[in-house]
Amino acid sequence: MARTDTKRDVVIVGLGWTGAIAGIELAKEGLDILALERGPDRSTVPDFKYPDVIDELRFGIRYGYMQRPKKSTLTIRRSLDEEAMPYRRLGSFLPGDGVGGAGIHWNGQTWRPQAQEYRLRSYVEETFGADAIPEDMTIQDWGVTAEELEPYYDRFEYMAGISGQAGVVNGETIEGGNPFEPNRSRDYPLPPLAQQPDSLHFADVARQMGYHPFPRPAANASAPHVNEYGMQLGPCNYCGFCARYGCLNYSKSSPQTCVLDALKRYENFKYRVNSEVLRVNLAEDGQTATGVTYWDAEAEEEVTQPADIVILAAYSIHNVHLMLLSGIGEPYNPQTGTGTTGKNYSYQMNGGTTMFFNDRQFNPFVAAGSSGMSINDFGMEQIDYAAEGFIGGSYMTCGHSNGQPIRGIAVPEGTPNWGAGWKQAVGEHYGHSTSLGSHGSNMSYRDCYLDLDPTYTDPHGRPLLRLTFDWKDNDICMTQFMRQRIEEIVEAMEPDSWQSSYKEDGATYDVRPYQTTHNVGGAIMGENPQTSSINRFQQAWGQHNVFVLGASSFPQNIQYNPTGAVGALAYWTTDAIVNQYLPNPGPLV
């Protein structure tokens, strides 16, 4: 069975952060909009009700809000010579499932990239010379600047009710903020979160060493907030259940708390759940999209949904998968370097040092997802790449995001995995440990990319997406540099013992342990159709009525968590659609 539904002005694929923003901004213009979400419906009430939502086993360990590999997965390999195998069990990254997407289960860390990150290749060549870029590194400029995006970051932060302390406002450096952040037009909408004893101890030591500690910017509301859509956030109660959980208190910024209930009031907006888009349909000449085809799980049939504008707002790797399946852009070929769709997949390089203090109590159960004090003294604009031998940077943070009894316990190396010895160690160290971590960039490379798997297919018979990725010397060198800086600070904090975990020479990508859900690239933005899949407005080069929103646009990964940039770009693109595209449909310049 198959059916064709009534044509819409806009069809949106995915209803997470970017889909919600695009939906409400275009609904305000009176457009007839349909959003299609592959997963189930989710709302604060009843889905995030207390105490059900703080079930650590269900959500923290068994990934209750994540996509199931048996329904949606990809294959992974580390080199062109390996055979890719399916990602059968969630580990390294955790795509969200259902309305709200990963915006439900994130911690809330919300950053603006440094100004030179948007023009990274130009910055490196101008400052350190083209020879500083390794031959296999394919970093690119974004095609947009920090100055152009500043109003859209501001809007996202005020919509989401971000808590923080500005560091640079209208060219003036503000004491207590991040002095290395790009210039902003005003302070955060809410003051910083209250800090824990470990964060304050780190900040004191870092300040004595000449660094510049500041509160980590947080999508956890420090005070009541009402945004432009009339959505209300309540102050965080520091329950310690943010990452992997929905927020029971209307305190963590999410599509549910910030956008969706306002969006649902528009009669010209509709959404359907359990509706997985299978492909974008193109006109006979391939120059425009005519709509999408999706699988209606409730009716158990394929549906053709015609539309004038198609917005891909799914998770980053799913955006790329749909583009490859639909013939949007030329598939990237790592041997020849031709093609763009799938190019420049990158990840995140993280590491950290755990400290144990016999006589300090940190009360980790009193925490928010983005609690902590950070320094950015080793950011991407603060490092001499030529002298250090790598391109990249990192921010560093000390603080707790939870004290949960299964995931939130750190014990010294050598502790038994179970039994009396483990129990003794937990009793001695719970509440007495903390960590200082590096959250670093990851560059893009010629042989790190996304394409269609030649062997494995999904339940609909479509080729699975194939990921080819491994760690490179440049990024390992970067994280080892950060390790040296962190361990110097750790020694000055005077713990009774400490242990470090960083990628070392020869490290290979292991999909089993969780690392981060910051998968970026594959549908990269830029100013040249020969090197990018979408233009500076996230508009497909070859199909002017297709827009691709999300971290799939990043030409390489930034040193920060991506959500702030993703949100700002969503506002940037919808503004261009409203003010440039709708009056004169065609390629935007």
Side-chain angles (χ1 to χ4, degrees), residues 525-541:
M525 61 192 299
E527 296 186 293
N528 184 343
Q530 300 304 312
T531 58
S532 58
S533 297
I534 55 178
N535 66 19
R536 66 196 302 263
F537 296 104
Q538 300 187 104
Q539 178 188 43
W541 286 109

Side-chain angles (χ1 to χ4, degrees), residues 152 278 353 418 428:
Y152 303 95
L278 304 178
T353 298
W418 63 284
E428 292 175 353

Side-chain angles (χ1 to χ4, degrees), residues 87 132 138 157 185 207 231 294 391-392 398:
Y87 184 48
T138 53
E157 290 168 356
S185 57
R207 201 173 290 112
M231 299 293 287
Y294 71 94
I391 296 172
C398 181

Side-chain angles (χ1 to χ4, degrees), residues 201 205-206 208-209 486-495 498:
H201 177 47
V205 171
Q208 292 168 18
M209 298 177 71
I486 283 176
E487 290 180 351
E488 291 170 356
I489 300 172
V490 165
E491 290 182 344
M493 291 177 68
E494 299 183 339
W498 54 272

Side-chain angles (χ1 to χ4, degrees), residues 6-27:
T6 303
K7 187 178 182 181
R8 306 276 184 161
D9 294 327
V10 182
V11 63
I12 299 173
V13 181
L15 195 52
W17 269 125
T18 58
I21 290 171
I24 198 165
E25 291 302 300
L26 298 179

Side-chain angles (χ1 to χ4, degrees), residues 512-548:
R512 294 169 296 178
Y514 180 72
Q515 293 162 70
T516 181
T517 307
H518 303 163
N519 315 76
V520 310
I524 61 176
M525 61 192 299
E527 296 186 293
N528 184 343
Q530 300 304 312
T531 58
S532 58
S533 297
I534 55 178
N535 66 19
R536 66 196 302 263
F537 296 104
Q538 300 187 104
Q539 178 188 43
W541 286 109
Q543 295 80 24
H544 64 76
N545 63 337
V546 175
F547 295 84
V548 187

Side-chain angles (χ1 to χ4, degrees), residues 255-551:
Q256 278 80 358
T257 55
C258 297
V259 183
L260 288 173
D261 283 348
L263 174 56
K264 292 174 186 177
R265 298 188 185 118
Y266 285 88
E267 294 184 358
N268 53 318
F269 173 83
K270 297 292 186 292
Y271 71 104
R272 293 181 183 150
V273 297
N274 302 310
S275 300
E276 181 174 6
V277 174
L278 304 178
R279 59 188 173 274
V280 178
N281 302 320
L282 303 183
E284 288 188 10
D285 62 4
Q287 299 302 301
T288 55
T290 60
V292 301
T293 296
Y294 71 94
W295 176 254
D296 183 336
E298 295 177 2
E300 295 187 341
E301 64 180 353
E302 282 195 8
V303 182
T304 297
Q305 178 58 65
D308 291 326
I309 297 174
V310 174
I311 296 177
L312 300 186
Y315 190 66
S316 60
I317 57 177
H318 299 323
N319 280 345
V320 180
H321 193 204
L322 279 173
M323 292 175 71
L324 289 166
L325 291 167
S326 308
I328 299 175
E330 180 184 351
Y332 173 67
N333 184 326
Q335 274 99 5
T336 63
T338 58
T340 59
T341 303
K343 178 182 177 182
N344 281 27
Y345 171 87
S346 54
Y347 199 34
Q348 200 92 63
M349 178 59 84
N350 298 336
T353 298
T354 301
M355 296 167 276
F356 300 93
F357 296 82
N358 295 337
D359 299 322
R360 287 181 180 266
Q361 173 58 255
F362 298 129
N363 296 329
F365 45 83
V366 183
S370 197
S371 298
M373 294 290 288
S374 302
I375 61 172
N376 211 173
D377 294 76
F378 303 103
M380 294 188 68
E381 294 181 1
Q382 280 61 60
I383 294 175
D384 185 334
Y385 299 155
E388 301 300 342
F390 66 82
I391 296 172
S394 166
Y395 74 88
M396 301 170 182
T397 297
C398 181
H400 282 94
S401 62
N402 75 84
Q404 296 163 30
I406 303 176
R407 299 192 304 124
I409 296 175
V411 292
E413 292 174 342
T415 299
N417 292 329
W418 63 284
W422 177 82
K423 292 180 181 179
Q424 180 180 351
V426 170
E428 292 175 353
H429 297 288
Y430 183 77
H432 296 281
S433 66
T434 189
S435 64
L436 177 54
S438 161
H439 191 283
S441 58
N442 181 223
M443 298 299 103
S444 51
Y445 299 91
R446 187 182 184 95
D447 61 350
C448 295
Y449 69 107
L450 300 163
D451 68 348
L452 297 178
D453 191 276
T455 304
Y456 294 94
T457 57
D458 69 7
H460 303 289
R462 306 176 302 169
L464 291 183
L465 187 69
R466 179 172 65 178
L467 163 61
T468 304
F469 174 78
D470 206 358
W471 301 115
K472 303 294 185 180
D473 292 343
N474 174 86
D475 304 283
I476 292 173
C477 183
M478 184 272 292
T479 200
Q480 286 297 316
F481 172 90
M482 300 303 166
R483 175 180 186 165
Q484 294 174 17
R485 308 290 89 73
I486 283 176
E487 290 180 351
E488 291 170 356
I489 300 172
V490 165
E491 290 182 344
M493 291 177 68
E494 299 183 339
D496 293 284
S497 63
W498 54 272
Q499 59 202 35
S500 290
S501 178
Y502 300 83
K503 302 290 189 305
E504 298 183 350
D505 291 345
T508 57
Y509 179 47
D510 186 346
V511 301
R512 294 169 296 178
Y514 180 72
Q515 293 162 70
T516 181
T517 307
H518 303 163
N519 315 76
V520 310
I524 61 176
M525 61 192 299
E527 296 186 293
N528 184 343
Q530 300 304 312
T531 58
S532 58
S533 297
I534 55 178
N535 66 19
R536 66 196 302 263
F537 296 104
Q538 300 187 104
Q539 178 188 43
W541 286 109
Q543 295 80 24
H544 64 76
N545 63 337
V546 175
F547 295 84
V548 187
L549 310 184

Side-chain angles (χ1 to χ4, degrees), residues 66-82:
M66 319 305 178
Q67 292 175 10
R68 295 302 181 211
K70 69 178 181 180
K71 293 183 178 180
S72 176
T73 192
L74 72 167
T75 65
I76 300 176
R77 61 180 183 173
R78 289 169 294 195
S79 71
L80 303 182
D81 299 327
E82 280 191 353

